[in-house]
Amino acid sequence: MALPGFENTKQGKTTPTVQTKIIEEIINYLNEKAGTKYKSTSKDTIKHINARLKEGYTVQDFKYVIDVKVAEWQGTKMEMYIRPSTLFNSKMDNYVNQPMPHKQQPSYHVKNDYKHDTTNRRI
């Protein structure tokens, strides 16, 4: 019996399937963008990605979800959720349809180019 995503050959060796290569591409992209080291051979990762592939999602959809969530969550307390089990779960449809977030300062933040001396202020 072959591992998930592999086929047996006549010589008894296993070769990666197209689906395995797709999973590797998605996880390599995630690792590159998020600075993580997830393995494309993890059973949980394979399960989540295969389920979404069966629903008709494309490699581009997976990459878009990664880009959106890295832009939104990296550097925040949500950063720990940039992982396959969160990104590729049953909520992926919401993530695919989410617009790309814009990193910007809050509207109330005023950037001054001068130093303001407050030591002699009256209270």
Side-chain angles (χ1 to χ4, degrees), residues 14-117:
T14 57
T15 57
T17 62
V18 172
Q19 197 149 354
T20 302
K21 292 178 183 178
I22 290 170
I23 293 169
E24 285 177 3
E25 180 180 350
I26 292 166
I27 296 303
N28 288 341
Y29 188 81
L30 171 61
N31 289 335
E32 176 187 323
K33 294 296 180 177
T36 54
K37 296 180 181 179
Y38 290 104
K39 295 182 179 185
S40 60
T41 55
S42 162
K43 287 183 181 182
D44 193 51
T45 298
I46 291 168
K47 178 185 80 169
H48 283 92
I49 293 175
N50 279 340
R52 302 299 78 83
L53 289 170
K54 286 178 183 176
E55 291 174 0
Y57 291 104
T58 65
V59 172
Q60 288 74 27
D61 292 331
F62 285 91
K63 289 182 177 182
Y64 180 77
V65 167
I66 292 166
D67 290 339
V68 165
K69 290 305 174 185
V70 166
E72 182 180 1
W73 289 346
Q74 199 162 39
T76 72
K77 65 180 183 176
M78 295 297 288
E79 186 170 19
M80 62 194 243
Y81 297 108
I82 301 173
R83 58 186 180 207
S85 61
T86 303
L87 300 177
F88 312 137
N89 67 20
S90 59
K91 295 180 185 178
M92 187 167 159
D93 192 51
N94 295 331
Y95 301 154
V96 168
N97 289 296
Q98 179 179 337
M100 183 63 71
H102 299 287
K103 290 278 187 178
Q104 54 186 332
Q105 295 178 342
S107 59
Y108 59 83
H109 182 76
V110 178
K111 186 174 183 178
N112 294 322
D113 290 15
Y114 63 90
K115 298 211 185 248
H116 187 71
D117 183 15

